Amino acid sequence: MSTHSKRSDPIVIVGGSLAGVRAAQALRLRGHDGEVVMISDEVEVGYDRPPLSKAVLTGQIAPEDTFLVGEEALAKLDLQLLRGQAAQSLDIAGKRVHVGGSTVAYDKLLIATGSRARRLPLGRNLGNILTLRTLDDARAVHKLLQEKPRVVIAGFGFIGCEVAASLSELGIPVTIVDTDVSPLAQFGSGFREAITSQHRSHGVDMRFGVGITNVYGVRDIERVELTDGTFLECDLLLMGVGSVPNVEWLGSSGLRINDGLVCDATLKADKNIYGAGDVASWVNPVFGRRMRVEHWTNASEQAQTAARNMLASQGGEPYRGLPYFWSVQYGRRFQYLGDLVAFDQTLWLEAADGSSTAIGLCGKEGVLVGVTGIDSVAIVMGLRAQIASRCGWGQAIKLVQEKYPYLRPQERIQGE
Amino acid sequence: MHIKVDADRCIGNGMCAALAPEHFEVSNDGDLTVLQEVVADSDVVPVQGAVLSCPAAAITVVE
C-alpha cells in the first residue's frame, strides 16, 4: 500500500510482456491503488511466448489465444498503457523515462524489458530467415509452414528442439545444425541423450559440430552452406541461437550493466529502481551466485517479488526462486529445476516399470543443486524443497530411492 | 472462493502442485488433480500464486 499522503508520481513498468504484466497484477493484488504506467515497445501487450514454438506452430492454438491477460482483465488493472512505444533512455537524477518525444516521471521504476532473439549475421537481404520470439515471428513462421518448406534450424537449444518437434508433427522435414559437437551437454548426458534420441527416432536430421558459413538465394533463402562444405536446400532458416538482454536504452543511465541489468538479491538496481525477468541479473541466495535466467517462471515470480519490494516501506525480500524450465517435445515432458551451471556430480535414474520416466540428479560440492526430468513432473516438483534447502547429495539420493523405488540408477550412460 | 481448471489448457507442468500442494496434484505424466476446490481464506495467497505461475493460464479462482 502506498504510504504517500500527497499525490505521487506513478509506478512505471517498462516492458509489457510476462514480467511487466505479472508485476502490474501483483501491485493491484497487494492493494496498490495509485497510478501505474506500462511502457511497451510492442503493440500487443501481455501475450505468452511458450506456445509460440509449440501449439501456435502446429495450429492447435490461434495466436490470439496466447494472451496472459485478456483485454478485459488488462483494462481492470487500470494501467496507463503506452503501447508500441520503446523507452529510449532513463534519467535517474530527474526520475523520469524518455519515451518518444515525451517523458514519464516515476516514483518507483520496474525495468522488465526482457531479451530479444539473437541473429546470426547472415543473409540480411534475404527473406525467410527468421527468429521465433514474438507473436509476429510466430505468425510469419506459421504462414510459411503452410507451404511445406524445407526447413533448416540453426541451434540445437530448446527453441530449436521444440520447433523441430512441432514440424515433425506436421510432417515437415527439418535439419538442425549446431556448431557445438555436443549441444545440451550442460544438462548431463542422460537428459541430452533422451532428447536427441527422440529427435532421431522422429527423423530429424541432426548435424552437430558444424555451422552455417553462408546463405544463398535471389529474394528468399534457397540454400545454406555448412562449414563442412555441405549445401542444404532450404526455404526457411530459423535461428534459435539464444537471446540478448534489452539494456541498450539504459546505456547512459549510470545503472550497472553486465550481462543484463545488475540488481542486488532483492532485485533492486538503484534507489527506487528494480529489475525483473530476462533482463535482470541478481544474486540468488540459494546458490550464492549471480545469475540471469531467461525462463518463464523466473519472469513471473521475479515480477511478483519486485512488486512486493517496490511497495515495501523499507528493505525488501531477496528473490530465492529456483531456475525452472519445461519443454514439451513429441508429447514428452522435459523439465529442469535448479542451478545446472557447472555441477560436478550427476546420477541418472530410469524407471524400471517400462515407463519413460527418468530423472537426473545434479550435485555440486556435495549438495543437490538441480534435477532434470523426463515425464517426471511430480518427482521434479517434489524435489524443490530439497534443492532450496541445499540437501546433501547422499541424503538426496537416499530420499529419491526410498520415495521412488522404481527408479534405477544407470551406472553407464551411453554418449553420442 | 473455489478453483476452476480448464483441462484443455492445462499442460501439466506442475507449478500449481509445487506452490499449493494442498489444492493441486500433478502426476509424472502431467495429469492434474484438483484435491480441494474450495479455497479457504488462509490459502488465498498460495492459490493466487498458482494462478499467476500457471504458464497455460489454466487456473482461475471464482467467487
Side-chain angles (χ1 to χ4, degrees):
Chain A
M1 199 71 79
S2 175
T3 53
H4 297 268
S5 51
K6 70 176 176 64
R7 185 185 159 84
S8 61
D9 286 325
I11 291 180
V12 173
I13 298 169
V14 186
S17 190
L18 175 60
V21 168
R22 284 291 185 261
Q25 290 174 307
L27 289 171
R28 294 306 187 210
L29 272 174
R30 288 181 175 274
H32 176 72
D33 56 5
E35 207 184 333
V36 178
V37 178
M38 178 181 279
I39 301 169
S40 170
D41 65 343
E42 292 189 271
V43 175
E44 292 172 300
V45 167
Y47 63 84
D48 201 19
R49 298 183 200 279
L52 301 185
S53 53
K54 302 182 269 279
V56 171
L57 285 197
T58 56
Q60 288 163 287
I61 294 185
E64 300 71 50
D65 272 344
T66 60
F67 282 82
L68 294 160
V69 282
E71 284 295 328
E72 199 180 318
L74 196 61
K76 268 195 192 156
L77 290 173
D78 191 22
L79 310 174
Q80 192 193 330
L81 191 48
L82 306 180
R83 295 172 188 258
Q85 299 184 49
Q88 283 152 339
S89 63
L90 168 63
D91 169 8
I92 291 178
K95 290 185 78 175
R96 56 198 178 170
V97 177
H98 295 275
V99 187
S102 63
T103 60
V104 179
Y106 63 82
D107 176 42
K108 299 273 169 65
L109 176 70
L110 179 68
I111 295 171
T113 41
S115 58
R116 60 183 181 275
R118 197 161 76 82
R119 281 188 76 95
L120 300 172
L122 290 167
R124 290 188 195 283
N125 300 317
L126 287 181
N128 299 349
I129 301 177
L130 302 175
T131 56
L132 185 49
R133 173 89 194 160
T134 66
L135 203 48
D136 278 342
D137 290 341
R139 290 186 180 113
V141 174
H142 184 251
K143 184 160 174 261
L144 276 175
L145 294 183
Q146 309 315 306
E147 294 157 27
K148 300 275 171 195
R150 293 159 297 184
V151 179
V152 175
I153 298 172
F156 192 77
F158 283 107
I159 289 285
C161 285
E162 288 182 354
V163 173
S166 299
L167 298 193
S168 273
E169 253 178 67
L170 296 170
I172 295 172
V174 53
T175 304
I176 297 196
V177 299
D178 198 299
T179 51
D180 195 333
V181 290
S182 184
L184 301 182
Q186 68 270 31
F187 296 99
S189 51
F191 192 69
R192 175 194 134 73
E193 175 55 26
I195 291 183
T196 48
S197 68
Q198 285 287 304
H199 289 289
R200 197 178 298 116
S201 66
H202 284 86
V204 174
D205 183 356
M206 290 174 287
R207 306 192 185 199
F208 299 151
V210 290
I212 298 173
T213 51
N214 221 334
V215 294
Y216 303 93
V218 178
R219 195 169 64 94
D220 298 325
I221 187 166
E222 293 168 20
R223 197 172 300 115
V224 303
E225 182 180 3
L226 305 183
T227 47
D228 62 5
T230 313
F231 287 87
L232 299 172
E233 300 297 312
C234 171
D235 308 304
L236 165 60
L237 171 60
L238 191 92
M239 295 183 179
V241 290
S243 55
V244 281
N246 292 320
V247 291
E248 289 75 7
W249 70 285
L250 297 169
S252 61
S253 67
L255 290 177
R256 245 182 91 204
I257 305 295
N258 185 9
D259 180 38
L261 172 67
V262 176
C263 301
D264 70 9
T266 68
L267 304 174
K268 194 173 183 176
D270 198 358
K271 196 164 179 262
N272 303 316
I273 302 176
Y274 293 78
D278 291 15
V279 76
S281 117
W282 90 110
V283 177
N284 189 330
V286 176
F287 306 105
R289 75 172 188 89
R290 179 164 288 283
M291 44 175 74
R292 187 173 68 79
V293 176
E294 296 177 336
H295 300 326
W296 195 97
T297 306
N298 181 71
S300 173
E301 295 192 336
Q302 273 191 343
Q304 294 171 57
T305 299
R308 185 178 59 208
N309 289 347
M310 280 197 287
L311 296 180
S313 49
Q314 55 185 356
E317 284 180 45
Y319 177 69
R320 308 176 62 89
L322 305 179
Y324 167 68
F325 176 86
W326 85 95
S327 178
V328 180
Q329 298 167 32
Y330 309 106
R332 296 181 70 182
R333 289 155 206 288
F334 297 86
Q335 296 182 301
Y336 88 72
L337 178 70
D339 183 14
L340 295 193
V341 171
F343 53 86
D344 55 27
Q345 298 176 274
T346 178
L347 180 68
W348 184 250
L349 303 104
E350 291 179 359
D353 62 4
S355 76
S356 51
T357 294
I359 65 165
L361 300 175
C362 300
K364 190 176 181 184
E365 292 159 3
V367 169
L368 179 74
V369 291
V371 59
T372 58
I374 299 160
D375 295 334
S376 308
V377 176
I379 303 171
V380 169
M381 285 303 170
L383 286 167
R384 270 169 73 100
Q386 279 68 37
I387 297 169
S389 65
R390 304 196 56 76
C391 174
W393 178 248
Q395 201 191 334
I397 292 173
K398 191 161 162 268
L399 181 129
V400 164
Q401 295 199 302
E402 277 171 11
K403 214 167 158 190
Y404 312 104
Y406 57 94
L407 289 178
R408 302 285 152 75
Q410 308 295 303
E411 297 204 357
R412 278 188 62 246
I413 307 283
Q414 296 294 317
E416 270 293 279
Chain B
M1 293 201 291
H2 57 274
I3 293 167
K4 276 184 69 177
V5 170
D6 182 340
D8 290 338
R9 292 194 73 104
C10 176
I11 57 170
N13 93 331
M15 280 308 294
C16 55
L19 296 172
E22 312 282 308
H23 292 271
F24 304 97
E25 187 175 85
V26 178
S27 75
N28 282 330
D29 291 330
D31 297 323
L32 173 69
T33 309
V34 178
L35 300 173
Q36 166 77 307
E37 273 192 24
V38 177
V39 185
D41 287 351
S42 55
D43 285 350
V44 168
V45 171
V47 171
Q48 286 290 3
V51 170
L52 292 182
S53 292
C54 173
I59 310 168
T60 42
V61 175
V62 292
E63 290 299 327

Short mmCIF file of all heavy atoms in Angstrom, two decimals, chain A residues 69-124:
data_model
loop_
_atom_site.label_atom_id
_atom_site.label_comp_id
_atom_site.label_asym_id
_atom_site.label_seq_id
_atom_site.Cartn_x
_atom_site.Cartn_y
_atom_site.Cartn_z
N VAL A 69 -3.24 -12.18 -20.16
CA VAL A 69 -4.43 -11.50 -19.65
C VAL A 69 -5.21 -10.99 -20.86
O VAL A 69 -4.61 -10.46 -21.80
CB VAL A 69 -4.09 -10.28 -18.75
CG1 VAL A 69 -3.68 -10.71 -17.37
CG2 VAL A 69 -3.03 -9.41 -19.37
N GLY A 70 -6.48 -11.18 -20.85
CA GLY A 70 -7.31 -10.68 -21.94
C GLY A 70 -7.42 -9.16 -21.83
O GLY A 70 -7.04 -8.57 -20.81
N GLU A 71 -7.97 -8.54 -22.88
CA GLU A 71 -8.12 -7.08 -22.87
C GLU A 71 -8.97 -6.61 -21.69
O GLU A 71 -8.70 -5.57 -21.09
CB GLU A 71 -8.73 -6.60 -24.19
CG GLU A 71 -7.75 -6.61 -25.36
CD GLU A 71 -6.59 -5.61 -25.19
OE1 GLU A 71 -6.78 -4.55 -24.57
OE2 GLU A 71 -5.48 -5.92 -25.67
N GLU A 72 -9.97 -7.43 -21.35
CA GLU A 72 -10.87 -7.04 -20.28
C GLU A 72 -10.14 -7.02 -18.93
O GLU A 72 -10.22 -6.05 -18.17
CB GLU A 72 -12.03 -8.05 -20.23
CG GLU A 72 -13.26 -7.56 -19.51
CD GLU A 72 -14.33 -8.65 -19.52
OE1 GLU A 72 -14.51 -9.30 -20.59
OE2 GLU A 72 -14.95 -8.86 -18.47
N ALA A 73 -9.37 -8.10 -18.68
CA ALA A 73 -8.61 -8.17 -17.43
C ALA A 73 -7.52 -7.11 -17.39
O ALA A 73 -7.22 -6.54 -16.35
CB ALA A 73 -8.00 -9.56 -17.28
N LEU A 74 -6.97 -6.82 -18.57
CA LEU A 74 -5.95 -5.78 -18.67
C LEU A 74 -6.56 -4.42 -18.30
O LEU A 74 -5.98 -3.64 -17.56
CB LEU A 74 -5.39 -5.75 -20.10
CG LEU A 74 -4.08 -5.02 -20.36
CD1 LEU A 74 -2.93 -5.64 -19.57
CD2 LEU A 74 -3.74 -5.06 -21.85
N ALA A 75 -7.75 -4.18 -18.81
CA ALA A 75 -8.44 -2.92 -18.51
C ALA A 75 -8.70 -2.79 -17.02
O ALA A 75 -8.59 -1.71 -16.44
CB ALA A 75 -9.74 -2.82 -19.31
N LYS A 76 -9.04 -3.92 -16.40
CA LYS A 76 -9.33 -3.90 -14.96
C LYS A 76 -8.11 -3.52 -14.13
O LYS A 76 -8.23 -3.03 -13.01
CB LYS A 76 -9.80 -5.30 -14.51
CG LYS A 76 -11.31 -5.46 -14.54
CD LYS A 76 -11.69 -6.69 -13.75
CE LYS A 76 -13.14 -7.06 -14.00
NZ LYS A 76 -13.39 -8.47 -13.74
N LEU A 77 -6.92 -3.77 -14.68
CA LEU A 77 -5.70 -3.41 -13.94
C LEU A 77 -5.51 -1.89 -13.90
O LEU A 77 -4.68 -1.38 -13.15
CB LEU A 77 -4.47 -4.06 -14.57
CG LEU A 77 -4.35 -5.58 -14.40
CD1 LEU A 77 -3.17 -6.11 -15.21
CD2 LEU A 77 -4.19 -5.94 -12.93
N ASP A 78 -6.27 -1.20 -14.73
CA ASP A 78 -6.29 0.26 -14.70
C ASP A 78 -4.89 0.84 -14.87
O ASP A 78 -4.40 1.60 -14.04
CB ASP A 78 -6.94 0.73 -13.38
CG ASP A 78 -7.23 2.23 -13.41
OD1 ASP A 78 -7.35 2.78 -14.52
OD2 ASP A 78 -7.32 2.83 -12.32
N LEU A 79 -4.23 0.43 -15.95
CA LEU A 79 -2.89 0.93 -16.24
C LEU A 79 -2.98 2.06 -17.25
O LEU A 79 -3.89 2.08 -18.08
CB LEU A 79 -2.02 -0.18 -16.87
CG LEU A 79 -1.98 -1.52 -16.17
CD1 LEU A 79 -1.19 -2.52 -17.00
CD2 LEU A 79 -1.38 -1.38 -14.78
N GLN A 80 -2.02 2.94 -17.18
CA GLN A 80 -1.85 3.86 -18.29
C GLN A 80 -0.87 3.18 -19.22
O GLN A 80 0.31 3.04 -18.92
CB GLN A 80 -1.32 5.21 -17.81
CG GLN A 80 -1.42 6.26 -18.90
CD GLN A 80 -0.62 7.48 -18.57
OE1 GLN A 80 -0.44 7.84 -17.40
NE2 GLN A 80 -0.10 8.14 -19.59
N LEU A 81 -1.40 2.69 -20.33
CA LEU A 81 -0.63 1.79 -21.18
C LEU A 81 -0.11 2.53 -22.41
O LEU A 81 -0.89 3.04 -23.21
CB LEU A 81 -1.56 0.64 -21.58
CG LEU A 81 -1.00 -0.59 -22.25
CD1 LEU A 81 0.21 -1.13 -21.53
CD2 LEU A 81 -2.09 -1.66 -22.28
N LEU A 82 1.20 2.60 -22.53
CA LEU A 82 1.81 3.22 -23.71
C LEU A 82 2.26 2.09 -24.63
O LEU A 82 3.31 1.49 -24.42
CB LEU A 82 3.00 4.11 -23.31
CG LEU A 82 2.70 5.18 -22.26
CD1 LEU A 82 3.95 6.00 -21.95
CD2 LEU A 82 1.58 6.11 -22.71
N ARG A 83 1.43 1.76 -25.61
CA ARG A 83 1.70 0.63 -26.50
C ARG A 83 2.54 1.05 -27.69
O ARG A 83 2.36 2.15 -28.22
CB ARG A 83 0.40 0.06 -27.07
CG ARG A 83 -0.54 -0.54 -26.08
CD ARG A 83 -1.84 -0.86 -26.82
NE ARG A 83 -2.90 -1.28 -25.91
CZ ARG A 83 -3.26 -2.55 -25.74
NH1 ARG A 83 -2.64 -3.51 -26.39
NH2 ARG A 83 -4.23 -2.85 -24.91
N GLY A 84 3.38 0.13 -28.13
CA GLY A 84 4.16 0.38 -29.33
C GLY A 84 5.12 1.54 -29.18
O GLY A 84 5.47 2.19 -30.15
N GLN A 85 5.54 1.77 -27.94
CA GLN A 85 6.47 2.88 -27.69
C GLN A 85 7.64 2.37 -26.87
O GLN A 85 7.46 1.90 -25.75
CB GLN A 85 5.76 4.00 -26.92
CG GLN A 85 4.58 4.57 -27.70
CD GLN A 85 3.97 5.74 -26.97
OE1 GLN A 85 4.65 6.66 -26.54
NE2 GLN A 85 2.66 5.70 -26.79
N ALA A 86 8.82 2.45 -27.45
CA ALA A 86 10.00 1.96 -26.75
C ALA A 86 10.57 3.03 -25.84
O ALA A 86 10.68 4.19 -26.24
CB ALA A 86 11.06 1.52 -27.76
N ALA A 87 10.91 2.65 -24.62
CA ALA A 87 11.62 3.58 -23.73
C ALA A 87 12.98 3.85 -24.35
O ALA A 87 13.66 2.93 -24.79
CB ALA A 87 11.77 2.97 -22.35
N GLN A 88 13.35 5.13 -24.40
CA GLN A 88 14.61 5.46 -25.08
C GLN A 88 15.78 5.67 -24.14
O GLN A 88 16.91 5.33 -24.45
CB GLN A 88 14.42 6.71 -25.95
CG GLN A 88 13.68 6.35 -27.22
CD GLN A 88 12.90 7.51 -27.76
OE1 GLN A 88 12.58 8.45 -27.05
NE2 GLN A 88 12.60 7.45 -29.04
N SER A 89 15.50 6.27 -23.00
CA SER A 89 16.58 6.46 -22.03
C SER A 89 15.99 6.72 -20.66
O SER A 89 14.78 6.99 -20.52
CB SER A 89 17.50 7.60 -22.45
OG SER A 89 16.78 8.82 -22.48
N LEU A 90 16.87 6.64 -19.67
CA LEU A 90 16.45 6.79 -18.29
C LEU A 90 17.29 7.88 -17.63
O LEU A 90 18.51 7.88 -17.73
CB LEU A 90 16.64 5.46 -17.56
CG LEU A 90 16.54 5.46 -16.03
CD1 LEU A 90 15.14 5.86 -15.58
CD2 LEU A 90 16.90 4.08 -15.48
N ASP A 91 16.60 8.81 -16.98
CA ASP A 91 17.27 9.90 -16.27
C ASP A 91 17.02 9.67 -14.78
O ASP A 91 15.94 9.96 -14.26
CB ASP A 91 16.67 11.24 -16.75
CG ASP A 91 17.09 12.43 -15.88
OD1 ASP A 91 17.97 12.26 -15.01
OD2 ASP A 91 16.53 13.52 -16.10
N ILE A 92 18.03 9.11 -14.10
CA ILE A 92 17.85 8.71 -12.70
C ILE A 92 17.71 9.94 -11.81
O ILE A 92 16.85 9.98 -10.92
CB ILE A 92 19.02 7.82 -12.24
CG1 ILE A 92 18.94 6.47 -12.96
CG2 ILE A 92 18.98 7.60 -10.73
CD1 ILE A 92 20.07 5.52 -12.62
N ALA A 93 18.55 10.94 -12.05
CA ALA A 93 18.50 12.13 -11.20
C ALA A 93 17.14 12.83 -11.30
O ALA A 93 16.58 13.28 -10.30
CB ALA A 93 19.61 13.10 -11.60
N GLY A 94 16.60 12.87 -12.52
CA GLY A 94 15.31 13.51 -12.73
C GLY A 94 14.13 12.57 -12.52
O GLY A 94 12.98 12.98 -12.66
N LYS A 95 14.42 11.29 -12.22
CA LYS A 95 13.39 10.26 -12.01
C LYS A 95 12.37 10.23 -13.15
O LYS A 95 11.17 10.39 -12.95
CB LYS A 95 12.67 10.46 -10.67
CG LYS A 95 13.57 10.14 -9.47
CD LYS A 95 12.82 10.22 -8.16
CE LYS A 95 11.96 8.99 -7.91
NZ LYS A 95 11.32 9.01 -6.57
N ARG A 96 12.89 10.11 -14.37
CA ARG A 96 11.96 10.03 -15.48
C ARG A 96 12.52 9.17 -16.62
O ARG A 96 13.74 9.02 -16.76
CB ARG A 96 11.61 11.43 -15.99
CG ARG A 96 12.81 12.23 -16.38
CD ARG A 96 12.49 13.71 -16.46
NE ARG A 96 13.73 14.40 -16.78
CZ ARG A 96 13.83 15.66 -17.13
NH1 ARG A 96 12.74 16.40 -17.21
NH2 ARG A 96 14.98 16.20 -17.40
N VAL A 97 11.59 8.65 -17.40
CA VAL A 97 11.92 7.81 -18.56
C VAL A 97 11.56 8.59 -19.81
O VAL A 97 10.48 9.19 -19.88
CB VAL A 97 11.10 6.49 -18.51
CG1 VAL A 97 11.38 5.64 -19.74
CG2 VAL A 97 11.39 5.71 -17.24
N HIS A 98 12.46 8.59 -20.77
CA HIS A 98 12.17 9.26 -22.04
C HIS A 98 11.54 8.26 -23.01
O HIS A 98 12.09 7.19 -23.26
CB HIS A 98 13.45 9.84 -22.65
CG HIS A 98 14.03 10.94 -21.81
ND1 HIS A 98 13.60 12.25 -21.92
CD2 HIS A 98 14.95 10.92 -20.82
CE1 HIS A 98 14.25 12.99 -21.03
NE2 HIS A 98 15.08 12.22 -20.36
N VAL A 99 10.38 8.63 -23.52
CA VAL A 99 9.64 7.78 -24.44
C VAL A 99 9.17 8.65 -25.59
O VAL A 99 8.43 9.61 -25.36
CB VAL A 99 8.38 7.18 -23.77
CG1 VAL A 99 7.72 6.16 -24.68
CG2 VAL A 99 8.72 6.56 -22.43
N GLY A 100 9.57 8.29 -26.80
CA GLY A 100 9.18 9.12 -27.93
C GLY A 100 9.63 10.54 -27.68
O GLY A 100 10.75 10.78 -27.23
N GLY A 101 8.77 11.51 -27.89
CA GLY A 101 9.15 12.90 -27.67
C GLY A 101 8.88 13.38 -26.25
O GLY A 101 9.13 14.53 -25.93
N SER A 102 8.35 12.49 -25.40
CA SER A 102 7.94 12.97 -24.09
C SER A 102 8.67 12.25 -22.96
O SER A 102 9.50 11.37 -23.20
CB SER A 102 6.43 12.82 -23.93
OG SER A 102 6.10 11.45 -24.00
N THR A 103 8.37 12.63 -21.74
CA THR A 103 8.98 11.98 -20.58
C THR A 103 7.88 11.50 -19.64
O THR A 103 6.81 12.09 -19.56
CB THR A 103 9.90 12.95 -19.81
OG1 THR A 103 9.11 14.05 -19.37
CG2 THR A 103 11.03 13.44 -20.67
N VAL A 104 8.18 10.43 -18.95
CA VAL A 104 7.26 9.89 -17.95
C VAL A 104 7.99 9.89 -16.61
O VAL A 104 9.04 9.26 -16.47
CB VAL A 104 6.84 8.44 -18.32
CG1 VAL A 104 5.90 7.87 -17.26
CG2 VAL A 104 6.20 8.40 -19.70
N ALA A 105 7.45 10.63 -15.66
CA ALA A 105 8.07 10.69 -14.34
C ALA A 105 7.65 9.46 -13.53
O ALA A 105 6.56 8.94 -13.71
CB ALA A 105 7.62 11.96 -13.62
N TYR A 106 8.53 9.00 -12.65
CA TYR A 106 8.19 7.85 -11.82
C TYR A 106 8.52 8.10 -10.36
O TYR A 106 9.43 8.86 -10.04
CB TYR A 106 8.91 6.58 -12.30
CG TYR A 106 10.43 6.62 -12.22
CD1 TYR A 106 11.09 6.35 -11.02
CD2 TYR A 106 11.18 6.94 -13.33
CE1 TYR A 106 12.48 6.38 -10.94
CE2 TYR A 106 12.57 6.99 -13.27
CZ TYR A 106 13.22 6.71 -12.07
OH TYR A 106 14.59 6.76 -11.99
N ASP A 107 7.76 7.41 -9.52
CA ASP A 107 8.10 7.33 -8.10
C ASP A 107 8.98 6.10 -7.90
O ASP A 107 10.05 6.16 -7.31
CB ASP A 107 6.80 7.24 -7.29
CG ASP A 107 7.09 7.06 -5.81
OD1 ASP A 107 8.00 7.73 -5.30
OD2 ASP A 107 6.40 6.24 -5.17
N LYS A 108 8.51 4.96 -8.45
CA LYS A 108 9.29 3.72 -8.49
C LYS A 108 9.29 3.22 -9.93
O LYS A 108 8.30 3.42 -10.66
CB LYS A 108 8.65 2.65 -7.59
CG LYS A 108 8.57 3.03 -6.12
CD LYS A 108 9.84 2.66 -5.39
CE LYS A 108 9.90 3.26 -3.99
NZ LYS A 108 8.89 2.73 -3.08
N LEU A 109 10.38 2.56 -10.30
CA LEU A 109 10.52 2.09 -11.68
C LEU A 109 10.84 0.59 -11.70
O LEU A 109 11.70 0.13 -10.95
CB LEU A 109 11.66 2.86 -12.36
CG LEU A 109 12.03 2.45 -13.79
CD1 LEU A 109 10.94 2.84 -14.77
CD2 LEU A 109 13.36 3.11 -14.21
N LEU A 110 10.13 -0.14 -12.55
CA LEU A 110 10.48 -1.55 -12.76
C LEU A 110 10.99 -1.71 -14.19
O LEU A 110 10.28 -1.38 -15.15
CB LEU A 110 9.29 -2.49 -12.54
CG LEU A 110 9.64 -3.97 -12.79
CD1 LEU A 110 10.59 -4.50 -11.72
CD2 LEU A 110 8.40 -4.83 -12.86
N ILE A 111 12.19 -2.23 -14.32
CA ILE A 111 12.77 -2.48 -15.63
C ILE A 111 12.53 -3.94 -15.98
O ILE A 111 13.07 -4.85 -15.33
CB ILE A 111 14.27 -2.12 -15.63
CG1 ILE A 111 14.42 -0.61 -15.41
CG2 ILE A 111 14.93 -2.56 -16.95
CD1 ILE A 111 15.84 -0.14 -15.17
N ALA A 112 11.69 -4.16 -16.97
CA ALA A 112 11.32 -5.52 -17.37
C ALA A 112 11.32 -5.59 -18.90
O ALA A 112 10.33 -5.99 -19.52
CB ALA A 112 9.95 -5.89 -16.79
N THR A 113 12.44 -5.17 -19.48
CA THR A 113 12.49 -5.06 -20.93
C THR A 113 12.91 -6.35 -21.62
O THR A 113 13.01 -6.40 -22.84
CB THR A 113 13.45 -3.92 -21.36
OG1 THR A 113 14.61 -3.95 -20.54
CG2 THR A 113 12.78 -2.57 -21.21
N GLY A 114 13.15 -7.40 -20.83
CA GLY A 114 13.34 -8.72 -21.42
C GLY A 114 14.57 -8.87 -22.28
O GLY A 114 15.58 -8.17 -22.12
N SER A 115 14.45 -9.77 -23.23
CA SER A 115 15.56 -10.03 -24.15
C SER A 115 14.99 -10.21 -25.54
O SER A 115 13.79 -10.33 -25.72
CB SER A 115 16.34 -11.26 -23.70
OG SER A 115 15.50 -12.39 -23.64
N ARG A 116 15.87 -10.21 -26.51
CA ARG A 116 15.42 -10.40 -27.89
C ARG A 116 16.22 -11.54 -28.51
O ARG A 116 17.33 -11.85 -28.03
CB ARG A 116 15.60 -9.12 -28.71
CG ARG A 116 17.05 -8.66 -28.78
CD ARG A 116 17.19 -7.35 -29.55
NE ARG A 116 18.58 -6.94 -29.62
CZ ARG A 116 19.22 -6.25 -28.69
NH1 ARG A 116 18.58 -5.89 -27.59
NH2 ARG A 116 20.49 -5.93 -28.83
N ALA A 117 15.69 -12.11 -29.56
CA ALA A 117 16.37 -13.24 -30.18
C ALA A 117 17.64 -12.77 -30.85
O ALA A 117 17.67 -11.73 -31.52
CB ALA A 117 15.44 -13.89 -31.20
N ARG A 118 18.70 -13.54 -30.65
CA ARG A 118 19.96 -13.23 -31.32
C ARG A 118 19.87 -13.69 -32.77
O ARG A 118 19.24 -14.70 -33.07
CB ARG A 118 21.10 -13.97 -30.61
CG ARG A 118 22.47 -13.44 -30.89
CD ARG A 118 23.44 -13.93 -29.81
NE ARG A 118 23.81 -15.33 -29.96
CZ ARG A 118 24.76 -15.77 -30.78
NH1 ARG A 118 25.43 -14.92 -31.53
NH2 ARG A 118 25.05 -17.05 -30.87
N ARG A 119 20.49 -12.95 -33.66
CA ARG A 119 20.51 -13.31 -35.08
C ARG A 119 21.93 -13.54 -35.52
O ARG A 119 22.83 -12.80 -35.15
CB ARG A 119 19.92 -12.18 -35.93
CG ARG A 119 18.42 -12.11 -35.95
CD ARG A 119 17.98 -11.08 -36.98
NE ARG A 119 18.11 -11.61 -38.34
CZ ARG A 119 17.11 -12.18 -39.00
NH1 ARG A 119 15.94 -12.27 -38.46
NH2 ARG A 119 17.30 -12.64 -40.21
N LEU A 120 22.14 -14.56 -36.33
CA LEU A 120 23.44 -14.73 -36.95
C LEU A 120 23.56 -13.71 -38.06
O LEU A 120 22.58 -13.40 -38.73
CB LEU A 120 23.59 -16.14 -37.52
CG LEU A 120 23.45 -17.29 -36.51
CD1 LEU A 120 23.42 -18.63 -37.24
CD2 LEU A 120 24.59 -17.26 -35.51
N PRO A 121 24.77 -13.17 -38.27
CA PRO A 121 24.94 -12.13 -39.30
C PRO A 121 24.99 -12.74 -40.70
O PRO A 121 26.01 -12.71 -41.37
CB PRO A 121 26.28 -11.48 -38.92
CG PRO A 121 27.04 -12.55 -38.22
CD PRO A 121 26.04 -13.43 -37.55
N LEU A 122 23.87 -13.31 -41.11
CA LEU A 122 23.81 -13.99 -42.40
C LEU A 122 22.59 -13.53 -43.17
O LEU A 122 21.52 -13.37 -42.58
CB LEU A 122 23.68 -15.51 -42.20
CG LEU A 122 24.87 -16.29 -41.66
CD1 LEU A 122 24.41 -17.68 -41.25
CD2 LEU A 122 25.98 -16.37 -42.70
N GLY A 123 22.75 -13.35 -44.46
CA GLY A 123 21.60 -13.13 -45.34
C GLY A 123 20.70 -11.98 -44.95
O GLY A 123 19.48 -12.12 -44.94
N ARG A 124 21.30 -10.85 -44.64
CA ARG A 124 20.49 -9.70 -44.20
C ARG A 124 19.47 -9.25 -45.24
O ARG A 124 18.46 -8.66 -44.90
CB ARG A 124 21.41 -8.52 -43.85
CG ARG A 124 22.22 -8.75 -42.60
CD ARG A 124 22.96 -7.48 -42.19
NE ARG A 124 24.00 -7.76 -41.22
CZ ARG A 124 23.77 -7.99 -39.92
NH1 ARG A 124 22.54 -7.97 -39.46
NH2 ARG A 124 24.77 -8.25 -39.09
#
